[in-house]
Amino acid sequence: MSNFSTTQTVRKQVIPTRGGIVAAQHRKAAEVGAAILEAGGDAIDAAVATSFAVGVVEPWMSGPAGGGCMMIWREAEQRAHTLFFGMRSPKGLDPADYPLDGSGRSSDLFPWPSVKDDRNVQGATAIAVPGTVAGMELAHRLFGRVDWKELLAPAGKLAREGLLIDWYASLLIASSTRALSKDPDAARLFLEDGQWPTIAGWTALSEKRLDQSRLAETLEWLAREGARDFYEGDIARAMVSDVRAKGGSLGLDDLAAYKAELREAIAVPYRGGLVHASKGLTAGPNLAECLAMMENAFEPGSTPDGKSYSAMVEALGATYRNRLKFMGDQDAPHAPSCTTHFSVVDRHGNMVAVTQTLLSIFGSRVVSPATGLLMNNGIMWFDPEPGKPNSLAPDKGCLMNVCPTIGEKNGRRFAIGASGGRKILPATLNLASFMMDFGMDLEEAFHQPRVDNSGGATTVADEDLAPEILTALQEIQPAVTTKRTVYPYAFACPAGVMRENGMNTGCTEIMSPWGDAVAEKDMMN
């Protein structure tokens, strides 16, 4: 049962172009990346610029003080790479500082036993070593063509303008008002007289903006001084001083020692095509496992049916059981995550799929006052109970749900990924199946109803699926139907690009009010 209209139709237009495209969860960030492509930049240049821009216009989802992973396709080499820049626990972290309080389960994403005062969830004690800046630096050094300063300049300009508070921004800030109020600097940045910033009225236009001037100064400094300043220079010293003053264990040695890593991708043959998934502490290995199970589970027909959707649900259930047992990730399916995804293709066919995150929405809900950075809460990724695969320990990598993916079949290549915590893997698998099993183009795949089985005992299915498909899902395990809405998201929020015969397309989650695919203007047909 729901209150929503059953006759409303929501679609996003997909326009082919020979030029490059950036598909991101905020239109302003996608425009920044597209402008870099238009000026002759590589897909990597556009990805770096988009990464910093989206951290300004979607600050509660990601930013320089977070981490993530990217998949890279280099057209000239015909080769895929994984670039990993996940967060790590600080070397000075002491697991004894996170005692269990015996009151039940954690209040946020993961159903770990709760820790006293939510020290692993909120506040400076939840902050892990960030990796995003190092990841962008390595990608740029290996494949970029445009000067670093030029790539960061648009983000600094956006921060100078300040984030426009529309109804969607106000809604997201309102969802975390109580948590944000606990940190004076976060409250000063995001709240208004102790509550969420209100817009002018039901029918009035609003020009209210966040004051992101301190963040602008940090981005401008980072542009001038280079990425290593974030880990070894003035920004590093200011950030560590702020975190330690608020009780965190992040140290200068943690930042100085941090390195992003370029790795081989996982190559998964599937239905006569190939899927390139991310290696390391991501959901890439789980995607590979799902695809192997699905290829043997059904023979594709003309359109997705009960057999194909059931195969996805069963594969996801099996791989999540393995993930929970051996990899240690046990986040709650219903909890809001703080992640963004964007995908890029340039006019030459190079592709990038980037997922970056602060983990929870608004991360640790702590702002570094000297830098204007909203800090991550990566410590929450660890199980506070000892003796588990993912138990909390110092100087340890965080296990992430991110799943940036590149796939190819029959002359088509796509780069996809999503935000949404545990829902990321199901969304990526759904889209890959639609395109590789049934030959859908990007527009068809993104508008096709999806299912989610994130390791729980119930399947979540789009209410627009045919009755016979819903019946088939019920035969596997209990299934509930839900409507695709703007907030909250019952399914993950994907973004992707596709290339076929020299023509590029892009699309984002159709219900996302901010997400858009933007093409470089001078190449539009």
Side-chain angles (χ1 to χ4, degrees):
M1 294 288 292
S2 76
N3 298 319
F4 297 106
S5 166
T6 59
T7 57
Q8 183 181 49
T9 300
V10 179
R11 295 193 66 83
K12 286 200 172 175
Q13 191 175 20
V14 176
I15 302 174
T17 174
R18 293 196 179 277
I21 296 179
V22 180
Q25 289 177 194
H26 198 291
R27 180 176 60 85
K28 291 286 187 183
E31 288 174 349
V32 164
I36 295 294
L37 294 176
E38 188 174 339
D42 187 272
I44 288 290
D45 296 314
V48 172
T50 303
S51 170
F52 285 100
V54 80
V56 175
V57 295
E58 244 193 350
W60 40 78
M61 292 296 180
S62 70
C69 181
M70 71 171 72
M71 286 294 301
I72 300 168
W73 175 260
R74 302 306 294 171
E75 180 69 10
E77 304 170 31
Q78 290 289 293
R79 186 178 179 186
H81 305 273
T82 299
L83 202 157
F84 185 77
F85 49 97
M87 297 175 242
R88 297 187 65 83
S89 58
K91 296 175 183 178
L93 179 143
D94 184 355
D97 290 337
Y98 300 82
L100 305 183
D101 66 9
S103 65
R105 294 291 170 180
S106 173
S107 63
D108 214 302
L109 284 171
F110 304 93
W112 312 130
S114 60
V115 170
K116 182 181 179 181
D117 300 325
D118 275 343
R119 290 171 58 82
N120 60 332
V121 173
Q122 179 159 319
T125 52
I127 297 171
V129 185
T132 296
V133 176
M136 295 304 142
E137 176 197 30
L138 180 57
H140 179 256
R141 176 156 48 86
L142 293 173
F143 306 112
R145 295 200 303 243
V146 179
D147 186 74
W148 174 262
K149 185 184 298 186
E150 292 182 42
L151 299 179
L152 270 65
K157 183 180 179 181
L158 288 170
R160 284 290 175 195
E161 295 173 356
L163 172 64
L164 178 66
I165 301 297
D166 56 21
W167 66 266
Y168 190 57
S170 185
L171 171 66
L172 292 176
I173 294 172
S175 71
S176 297
T177 296
R178 183 175 297 177
L180 290 168
S181 68
K182 294 180 180 181
D183 180 73
D185 298 299
R188 191 175 299 112
L189 177 58
F190 292 107
L191 303 184
E192 190 175 88
D193 299 324
Q195 71 163 15
W196 60 93
T198 55
I199 53 179
W202 182 253
T203 59
L205 298 177
S206 173
E207 275 294 322
K208 189 175 294 184
R209 292 180 181 271
L210 292 184
D211 180 2
Q212 295 173 295
S213 56
R214 192 66 198 92
L215 176 60
E217 292 172 7
T218 296
L219 291 169
E220 290 160 0
W221 182 269
L222 190 62
R224 288 193 306 271
E225 301 299 320
R228 290 315 300 172
D229 193 89
F230 189 91
Y231 294 94
E232 299 172 354
D234 288 355
I235 296 175
R237 286 186 287 272
M239 185 165 50
V240 166
S241 177
D242 287 346
V243 171
R244 285 187 168 267
K246 295 185 179 189
S249 58
L250 181 68
L252 286 171
D253 57 339
D254 295 313
L255 292 171
Y258 186 89
K259 295 289 186 295
E261 299 177 48
L262 187 73
R263 303 169 174 172
E264 291 295 320
I266 302 171
V268 186
Y270 185 72
R271 303 285 189 201
L274 195 63
V275 173
H276 306 280
S278 54
K279 269 191 177 180
L281 295 173
T282 72
N286 306 109
L287 176 65
E289 186 178 14
C290 284
L291 290 170
M293 287 185 277
M294 286 178 60
E295 187 159 27
N296 297 320
F298 72 100
E299 287 297 324
S302 57
T303 59
D305 57 14
K307 289 183 178 180
S308 65
Y309 277 108
S310 295
M312 276 195 286
V313 166
E314 291 182 318
L316 286 164
T319 200
Y320 265 109
R321 284 190 292 273
N322 290 337
R323 184 175 174 92
L324 300 181
K325 183 176 181 180
F326 299 114
M327 298 178 77
D329 167 35
Q330 299 183 25
D331 52 315
H334 62 277
S337 65
C338 179
T339 305
T340 198
H341 180 87
F342 56 91
S343 296
V344 184
V345 59
D346 65 25
R347 66 183 74 173
H348 305 294
N350 299 304
M351 288 185 171
V352 188
V354 181
T355 313
Q356 57 187 44
T357 184
L358 293 176
L359 185 49
S360 290
I361 189 165
F362 292 92
S364 60
R365 293 93 178 189
V366 167
V367 169
S368 158
T371 65
L373 293 167
L374 182 60
M375 305 302 295
N376 70 77
N377 65 334
I379 299 305
M380 194 178 65
W381 253 311
F382 297 102
D383 189 335
E385 282 192 293
K388 301 291 184 64
N390 197 34
S391 291
L392 182 61
D395 196 22
K396 185 176 181 180
C398 302
L399 176 65
M400 299 187 294
N401 289 301
V402 301
C403 194
T405 301
I406 292 172
E408 54 186 281
K409 184 181 178 182
N410 294 339
R412 282 180 174 173
R413 182 170 292 111
F414 58 83
I416 58 173
S419 64
R422 290 184 92 142
K423 302 175 191 289
I424 291 173
L425 172 60
T428 305
L429 184 65
N430 274 245
L431 291 171
S433 174
F434 298 156
M435 291 185 282
M436 298 189 76
D437 288 323
F438 302 100
M440 291 187 188
D441 61 24
L442 203 65
E443 182 172 8
E444 292 170 320
F446 271 66
H447 289 82
Q448 177 71 20
R450 303 200 305 264
V451 295
D452 182 274
N453 177 21
S454 306
T458 302
T459 299
V460 179
D462 190 315
E463 66 179 27
D464 290 337
L465 284 169
E468 59 269 22
I469 294 176
L470 297 175
T471 298
L473 295 176
Q474 288 281 8
E475 292 175 356
I476 300 171
Q477 64 181 26
V480 297
T481 59
T482 188
K483 189 174 184 66
R484 237 161 134 175
T485 60
V486 171
Y487 184 88
Y489 288 108
F491 307 96
C493 190
V497 293
M498 176 179 277
R499 182 175 180 85
E500 183 177 15
N501 297 325
M503 298 295 289
N504 298 322
T505 53
C507 195
T508 61
E509 167 56 40
I510 62 171
M511 297 306 302
S512 169
W514 283 356
D516 240 338
V518 179
E520 50 176 312
K521 294 177 183 176
D522 67 345
M523 298 290 288
M524 289 292 291
N525 286 347

